[in-house]
Amino acid sequence: MTRVFQTLPSPRFPDPADAPALRWGVLAPGAIAADFTDALHTHSTQRVVAAGSRSADRAAAFAAAHGVERSYGSYEQLVADPEVDVVYVASPHPQHAELALLAIAAGKNVLIEKPIAVRPHEAREIAAAAREAGVFAMEAMWTRYLPQTDILRQLLADGVFGEVRVVTADFGFAATFDPASRLFDPALGGGALLDLGVYAVSWASFALGAPAGVIASGTLAPTGVDEQVALILNSADGAQALLSTGLRSGTPSLATICGSAGRVETDSPFWAPSGLRFHEADGTLSIHWEDPYGRPGREGMVYEAAALARYVAEGLTDSPLHPLDEAISTLETIDEARRQIGALGVGAAAAG
């Protein structure tokens, strides 16, 4: 039998330090903003030069802790800073749309933490505003920009897997129930799908494109948000994505792409720098690729920042690897899944 996976393509952008340097401003400096800032300063020439919060003390403390030059006690002050080239929106996701639109109105390029918004209509507003203003806007789905993802992107484009028929992904952890926490409070965009499931749905979209049909089954937390969800996404050609996410138990955080000529299984976690195991059609393990670049965990967020800097330098206003329309489609899938299981907060807005 001829081996399909004899050699692998090389990632095309393995060094984020090669990207043109931009000056970044961070809105809502919390834990993920801290990891993002540290990743940029450690592994690239990108620099966070300003932090903005509704609390001047919080912004100042963040700036002092992470080597950031300036801090502001309002979001409006940060987006008005003429020395900020791009704004990173790191707030909880119910504020993503508001803060992204604020930055876009100020003429700033913007990177918006995933999910890009809570509702599809909010994501569409962001896309329309960015296009009208002529600024770059991108969802921070950082998995799309990892070296391992670029290997898979090239193999999919070359048809190496053959006809892709099944895609899988899971992401879950055990969270202590707290009705006031962002994970369980519907007013804070709580639920597994928006927080964790977005990675799995995005993986399916990467491999198969937008689904033609969505089947969801799940359970709700006492607050009414989705606590555990299983999804079947059907493609127009009959391929399927089998996805799961939840807040009740830890899951392996693995993903696969299975085709007629062979399959790939990720190491854990699939959404961060890890590894890839390539199997021939008969199940034989052919290659185990392990990430060699030394940017584990959230340090891998540097790749999305470097990609954005390259796109801005090229004069683009949308990511060719993860366009705004795809981020909108992912939210539409999540919204439909939430509607099917009766998650609180969907209501009339789901039609938007």
Side-chain angles (χ1 to χ4, degrees), residues 9-320:
S10 298
R12 286 169 285 193
F13 297 101
D15 187 359
D18 290 342
L22 293 181
R23 300 168 299 181
W24 294 72
V26 171
L27 286 183
I32 196 165
D35 289 343
F36 178 84
T37 300
D38 291 345
L40 266 58
H41 290 177
T42 302
H43 298 294
S44 77
T45 60
Q46 311 300 313
R47 285 296 173 267
V48 176
V49 299
S53 171
R54 288 173 294 187
S55 164
D57 290 343
R58 186 180 187 193
F62 180 93
H66 299 282
V68 175
E69 299 171 11
R70 298 183 297 283
S71 64
Y72 297 107
S74 77
Y75 300 140
E76 290 78 9
Q77 287 177 300
L78 183 136
V79 301
D81 187 333
E83 295 186 14
V84 168
D85 301 312
V86 55
V87 170
Y88 172 53
V89 175
S91 66
H93 35 267
Q95 285 77 54
H96 286 179
E98 174 189 354
L99 297 185
L101 292 172
L102 180 71
I104 291 167
K108 301 298 186 185
N109 302 302
V110 63
L111 176 67
I112 308 147
E113 252 313 317
K114 59 82 198 161
I116 190 170
V118 173
R119 297 290 183 207
H121 75 274
E122 295 174 331
R124 287 192 283 269
E125 288 174 11
I126 292 170
R131 289 163 183 160
E132 182 176 354
V135 299
F136 187 92
M138 186 172 99
E139 180 184 50
M141 180 50 68
W142 56 299
T143 308
R144 290 297 181 92
Y145 304 94
L146 301 178
Q148 65 202 43
T149 308
D150 193 51
I151 293 173
L152 297 179
R153 182 178 293 110
Q154 294 177 69
L155 293 174
L156 285 167
D158 291 341
V160 174
F161 294 102
E163 186 181 15
V164 176
R165 302 307 298 164
V166 176
V167 170
T168 70
D170 71 87
F171 189 5
F173 61 71
T176 301
F177 177 71
D178 177 358
S181 77
R182 69 173 186 85
L183 287 175
F184 293 100
D185 186 345
L188 299 178
L193 279 165
L194 285 171
D195 198 74
L196 308 179
V198 63
Y199 285 103
V201 175
S202 182
W203 175 266
S205 179
F206 167 69
L208 296 176
V214 178
I215 301 172
S217 177
T219 60
L220 304 180
T223 51
V225 302
D226 50 288
E227 187 175 57
Q228 185 166 311
V229 186
L231 296 172
I232 301 174
L233 307 184
N234 295 300
S235 295
D237 64 356
Q240 291 182 314
L242 311 176
L243 314 174
S244 68
T245 187
L247 304 173
R248 296 291 301 275
S249 62
T251 67
S253 288
L254 299 173
T256 69
I257 298 172
C258 306
S260 57
R263 74 178 190 271
V264 62
E265 301 172 357
T266 69
D267 290 342
S268 179
F270 77 88
W271 36 265
S274 53
L276 303 168
R277 297 173 187 265
F278 294 90
H279 296 260
E280 303 297 329
D282 66 355
T284 303
L285 176 63
S286 186
I287 299 175
H288 181 197
W289 180 90
E290 296 180 89
D291 183 277
Y293 300 111
R295 304 178 187 105
R298 282 183 173 177
E299 292 180 43
M301 290 192 292
V302 68
Y303 293 108
E304 66 183 355
L308 184 149
R310 294 187 189 99
Y311 299 151
V312 169
E314 294 168 10
L316 302 181
T317 55
D318 201 353
S319 168

